[in-house]
Amino acid sequence: MTLYEMRIGPEEVRSYLHSRGWISIAQSPLAQIWKDGVNGEWEVLVPLHIQAADFDKRLRILLSDLVQAEKRDKASIEADISSIFLDVTNLRAAHASIIDDSIPLQAGFELFSSAQKFVVASAAATIRRQGYFRNYPLRARDHAKNVRLGHTKRGSYIVPILSQARA
């Protein structure tokens, strides 16, 4: 899978760099040069022409430079860039009987149900500012149908079910 197919393109990269304090210092129709606004030690080239034969190669070089400049792992940087235009909310289940990073199945079910209610309620409050809804607006319920569920491993939509096998 190419980086472009992972939803990493010029707009995502530029927004990411801007949000991290980088400054655009030069531009041509094919690329931009950005300078680290914090230390000023690093410069990176951002390719702009998606159809260029070496677009994916230039993105890989850019990511490699960002790994060194930010001293972070590549997967985290890729995830941050690809989700720059997404509103990501990480929900964590807290339960009294957490064992080996697992929770009871019922608590997991309630986590997923609560996540859907959370999305509908936040969409409703955005549509119409009020503290309590007897009936949620249809647009808020429709919005929840388009919200996606992430995963802990790339490419994996597996929910591990842990069951005691010992007597």
Side-chain angles (χ1 to χ4, degrees), residues 6 8 11 28 35 64 78 81 115 122 162:
M6 290 174 47
I8 296 179
E11 290 304 313
S28 77
K35 187 176 186 107
S64 175
E78 283 179 356
I81 293 172
S122 63
L162 306 175

Side-chain angles (χ1 to χ4, degrees), residues 77-120:
I77 293 173
E78 283 179 356
D80 288 349
I81 293 172
S82 65
S83 63
I84 194 75
F85 293 130
L86 300 175
D87 183 13
V88 178
T89 303
N90 293 314
L91 299 180
R92 179 177 35 197
H95 195 272
S97 63
I98 292 179
I99 301 170
D100 295 328
D101 293 329
S102 68
I103 58 174
L105 184 61
Q106 183 62 34
F109 172 76
E110 290 171 7
L111 174 67
F112 283 93
S113 297
S114 297
Q116 183 178 16
K117 291 175 187 173
F118 170 77
V119 168
V120 172

